[in-house]
Amino acid sequence: MHRGFVTLRRATIVTAASCALLALTALARLDVGLRAFPDVSASARRAQPRPPSEWRQWGGPNRNFMSDATGLADTWPATGPAVIWSRTLGLGHSSIVAAGDTLFTLYRPGKQISRTGPWSAAEIVIALDAKSGKTIWEHRYPSEPFDFTQGPGPHSTPLVVGDRLFATGTNKQVHALDTRTGKVMWTRDLVKELGAPPRLIRPAVKAGYAVSPLAYRDTIILQAGGPGQAVIALRQSDGSVAWKSGDFLVSEASPILIDVSGQSQVVIFAAQSVYGLNPDNGRVLWSHAHDTQGDMNNSTPIWGPDNVLIVSSGYNQGTRALRLTRQGDATRVEELWFTTRLKVMFANALRLGDHLYASHGDFGPAVTTALDVKTGEVAWQERGFGRSSFVYADGKAIVMDEDGDLAMVRLSPKGMTVLAQAHVFDTVSWTAPTLVGTTLYARDREKIVALNLGR
């Protein structure tokens, strides 16, 4: 196996205004989905069974597609994991979020007859009973179909904060709904009200908005677009603009919150560069170039405990590792390496220790790939799955590939071991699955299922 093309870069320094240290750590803010323990003694607390972590946002409790769930089986019956329930849903790629006994996602009514439609001119936010899959409530809103030749929207994943559900639609509508009833608390149209461009500027295929909102204190943070408002923060209470910032082309990648030596920063993987912003006021703290053809920076950045940020995209780009270091008011950005041997087109990657695992490939065959985070060198590449999404728990990775195949695997720097595999969907599955305890919730472009992955 030959080594990939890897380049090393010199460091750059971008000066930023000083920011007061926050009382809460970024980890605590990211972990918006974990339930609090009752006020009991330490011994009683240890004796109580721990409730499964909820999955209240894109990427799970810490937005990194990892769960603290245990008890996952190493093998499945020949027919696959037990189906708890299965039901028809509709079109779209939105992932499923879970809070308590309720699931939330978005879909477009109807079935895909051909790549050109016809398409419904509406989208639906739905709440389902997690135990049965039955509909609790739905909220329907108008949604103009865009270029859905590669798959119809909605594409973004909702966010649960307290009793509010925040959902973003294909046409850049932002909805805040009561999680219990579906009642509209407020709505904002970023295009009609703020003048954001309705679609990305440079892509050949303009399929609509895909950014999943990020919670920060009393706001949600999103890419928007337009002069001075590449990024916006809306107040959770009423949708008013808390701040807007940035004059750069946007992408469809969802933001993440990181902690750089005590300073909270929101990372925006935009169309031509990756940016770090102060989440309190939107001030740009640093930037680093990563210009992808057609604004197609789609995947979610990966942040590590060693202050290494990794971004990846397909087309004319690849994977890039940046080390961020605080120096007074400045954030020092050092490019560690760049490689074209891993191109994550739209799915997610996992960082486990000093290795990154993801599905490589844009328009050709996909290859599951492991990279050494320290050097950018390929540790191994293996065929066997189409372009895939990954969820990690209990020492294993759950793989959901675009062909509808689900697998349980072990990933290591030496290779991938497939423990169990089953075919669960008959249409394209580009949606990252959701794990709550030992129950996996997954969907394709027709149905949604709950599967028991427990021992």
Side-chain angles (χ1 to χ4, degrees):
M1 183 179 295
H2 65 279
R3 296 183 182 271
F5 171 66
V6 179
T7 60
L8 301 178
R9 306 282 183 173
R10 65 180 183 273
T12 58
I13 300 179
V14 181
T15 302
S18 59
C19 176
L21 294 179
L22 301 177
L24 297 175
T25 67
L27 178 60
R29 281 192 296 270
L30 278 170
D31 197 12
V32 296
L34 293 176
R35 297 176 181 174
F37 283 102
D39 186 16
V40 294
S41 68
S43 59
R45 184 177 298 170
R46 285 193 297 270
Q48 291 181 344
R50 183 187 62 192
S53 295
E54 296 177 324
W55 197 278
R56 290 175 168 247
Q57 63 175 334
W58 168 247
N62 295 305
R63 224 165 167 89
N64 60 1
F65 299 90
M66 295 189 184
S67 169
D68 62 2
T70 57
L72 299 182
D74 289 339
T75 61
W76 301 334
T79 54
V83 178
I84 300 171
W85 53 260
S86 174
R87 58 162 285 181
T88 57
L89 187 65
L91 298 163
H93 305 115
S94 300
S95 286
I96 302 146
V97 295
D101 293 327
T102 307
L103 309 176
F104 305 92
T105 191
L106 296 89
Y107 72 96
R108 184 173 296 263
K111 291 186 176 182
Q112 184 167 348
I113 299 172
S114 74
R115 291 183 63 183
T116 58
W119 314 108
S120 169
E123 289 176 347
I124 293 173
V125 186
I126 184 173
L128 307 97
D129 182 273
K131 296 179 180 179
S132 66
K134 294 181 179 179
T135 300
I136 298 173
W137 55 257
E138 289 189 336
H139 171 66
R140 187 184 186 104
Y141 58 91
S143 178
E144 177 190 352
F146 285 165
D147 184 348
F148 291 161
T149 54
Q150 301 301 313
H155 310 287
S156 64
T157 297
L159 163 73
V160 177
V161 182
D163 61 358
R164 295 188 181 102
L165 177 76
F166 303 97
T168 54
T170 297
N171 300 159
K172 291 189 177 178
Q173 314 99 317
V174 185
H175 309 275
L177 309 172
D178 187 299
T179 57
R180 296 159 296 185
T181 65
K183 179 182 178 181
V184 177
M185 305 176 82
W186 55 261
T187 185
R188 296 298 303 267
D189 189 313
L190 304 185
V191 176
K192 295 180 179 178
E193 297 178 38
L194 299 180
R199 316 182 201 193
L200 297 182
I201 304 300
R202 301 186 299 169
V205 177
K206 301 181 179 183
Y209 198 60
V211 177
S212 301
L214 169 71
Y216 176 74
R217 291 190 168 180
D218 62 344
T219 68
I220 59 171
I221 299 174
L222 299 157
Q223 292 197 65
Q229 57 177 34
V231 187
I232 61 168
L234 302 177
R235 292 185 178 87
Q236 296 177 14
S237 58
D238 59 9
S240 60
V241 176
W243 55 257
K244 49 187 179 178
S245 175
D247 286 294
F248 48 81
L249 292 179
V250 298
S251 72
E252 301 298 356
S254 298
I256 63 169
L257 192 67
I258 66 174
D259 182 285
V260 184
S261 304
Q263 182 187 48
S264 291
Q265 299 185 8
V266 58
V267 175
I268 302 296
F269 191 22
Q272 297 173 297
S273 297
V274 56
Y275 295 84
L277 276 65
N278 183 331
D280 289 301
N281 55 30
R283 183 184 298 274
V284 176
L285 303 173
W286 57 267
S287 67
H288 194 88
H290 188 97
D291 189 357
T292 301
Q293 178 183 342
D295 304 337
M296 298 302 285
N297 287 332
N298 300 318
S299 65
T300 303
I302 303 102
W303 177 245
D306 50 3
N307 281 18
V308 172
L309 179 72
I310 300 174
V311 294
S312 185
S313 48
Y315 307 95
N316 64 318
Q317 272 293 347
T319 300
R320 175 171 267 115
L322 309 173
R323 175 172 282 120
L324 306 182
T325 307
R326 289 284 306 286
Q327 293 182 342
D329 292 357
T331 297
R332 183 173 185 261
V333 185
E334 177 188 5
E335 181 167 310
L336 302 179
W337 49 261
F338 171 81
T339 180
T340 58
R341 293 293 301 281
L342 177 60
K343 296 183 176 184
V344 180
M345 191 176 187
F346 55 77
N348 70 299
L350 294 175
R351 179 172 173 183
L352 307 177
D354 287 331
H355 283 78
L356 187 73
Y357 303 91
S359 186
H360 163 71
D362 30 38
F363 294 108
V367 183
T368 305
T369 299
L371 284 187
D372 186 315
V373 170
K374 294 183 177 179
T375 66
E377 298 288 346
V378 172
W380 53 261
Q381 291 187 308
E382 293 188 20
R383 297 194 184 277
F385 298 106
R387 284 173 292 192
S388 303
S389 300
F390 300 83
V391 170
Y392 186 80
D394 198 21
K396 298 177 276 284
I398 300 163
V399 181
M400 182 79 252
D401 85 358
E402 62 185 347
D403 299 321
D405 292 324
L406 179 71
M408 186 78 74
V409 306
R410 290 195 190 277
L411 300 171
S412 79
K414 295 183 179 180
M416 174 174 62
T417 302
V418 178
L419 304 174
Q421 191 169 357
H423 186 73
V424 297
F425 295 124
D426 295 324
T427 73
V428 175
S429 179
W430 284 352
T431 301
T434 294
L435 184 67
V436 180
T438 57
T439 301
L440 187 78
Y441 302 100
R443 63 176 289 193
D444 64 354
R445 295 176 181 175
E446 285 188 353
K447 66 180 182 180
I448 181 172
V449 300
L451 305 174
N452 181 7
L453 302 189
R455 299 189 184 106

